[in-house]
Amino acid sequence: MTSSNPKRYFLRGAQDALPFVLVIVPFALLFGVVATEAGLNVAEVMGFSVLVIAGAAQFTAVQLMTENAPTIIVILTALAVNLRMAMYSASLTPFLGKAPVWKRALVAYLMVDQAYALSQIKYELEPELTVPERFAYYIGTVVPLAPLWYAASYIGAVAGTQIPASFALDFALPITFLAMVAPALRTIAHVAAAATSVVLALLLTWMPYGSGLLVAAIGAMIVGAQIEGVMARRART
C-alpha cells in the first residue's frame, strides 16, 4: 500500500496554479482601482478583498453601489454571482467531506474559481488520493493566488491612479473566466446552462441595478438541472 504524501500534492497544487498568477494580479489591481474610484478607502477595499475574496461578486457589488442601488439589491446580486460557490462546494463534498471541520472551513473560505477548477479535475483524474492529499493539493493551489490577490488589491487601491490606462488591466476579468469555464463545459448540461446564462443576461440588460443577472443565474441552473435529469433517466433505461 502506497503511503500518503500530502507535501508532494501541496507542491503540485502550487505549481499547477502558477499560470493563474498572470490574470490574478491585474484582476486584483483593477478591483483596487475601481473600488477606490467608487469612493471606498483603502481599509474598505481590503475588507472587501480579504473577507469576500470573490472578484466577480466584488466588482458587481461596487458597480451597484456606485449606481446607488438599494442595499438588498447589492447583496442579492452579489450572492447570485457567487452562487456558483455553493455548487462548487457540493461537487467537492465527495472528495473532502471526511476532512476535519477546520479543514473544511478553510477550504470554504478559500473557495475560489481557480482552486476549484484545478482540484476538481485532479480529484477526478486521481480518485485514489487520500483525503489529506486532496486537502493539501487544494491548499497548494491557493498559496500562489490568495496572497497576491490581497497584495495587488492594496496596490491598486493605493497607487491605482498612477497605473497607465495603456496597461488595460480590464482584460483580466474576461480572460480569467474564459480560462476557467471553457475546460468545465464537458457535458450537454454544462453547455446548455452556460448558453442560457449568456442569452438571458444579454436579453435582460434593461432590468434595473443589474438584477437581470439574478434571473439569468436562476434560469441557467434550472436548464442545467433539467437536462441532467433527462440524461440520468435515459442512462437508467
Side-chain angles (χ1 to χ4, degrees), residues 126-146:
E126 300 185 31
E128 73 282 358
L129 294 180
T130 64
V131 172
E133 287 173 338
R134 292 169 185 162
F135 174 76
Y137 182 84
Y138 188 93
I139 298 302
T141 63
V142 179
V143 165
L145 306 179

Side-chain angles (χ1 to χ4, degrees), residues 119-187:
S119 297
Q120 179 67 23
I121 294 172
K122 187 70 171 180
Y123 300 161
E124 290 182 353
L125 291 177
E126 300 185 31
E128 73 282 358
L129 294 180
T130 64
V131 172
E133 287 173 338
R134 292 169 185 162
F135 174 76
Y137 182 84
Y138 188 93
I139 298 302
T141 63
V142 179
V143 165
L145 306 179
L148 285 175
W149 174 260
Y150 305 142
S153 294
Y154 177 79
I155 294 171
V158 173
T161 56
Q162 306 302 317
I163 300 176
S166 59
F167 277 34
L169 296 177
D170 52 349
F171 86 94
L173 187 59
I175 291 297
T176 296
F177 281 93
L178 283 174
M180 293 182 301
V181 171
L185 302 179
R186 299 192 297 269
T187 69

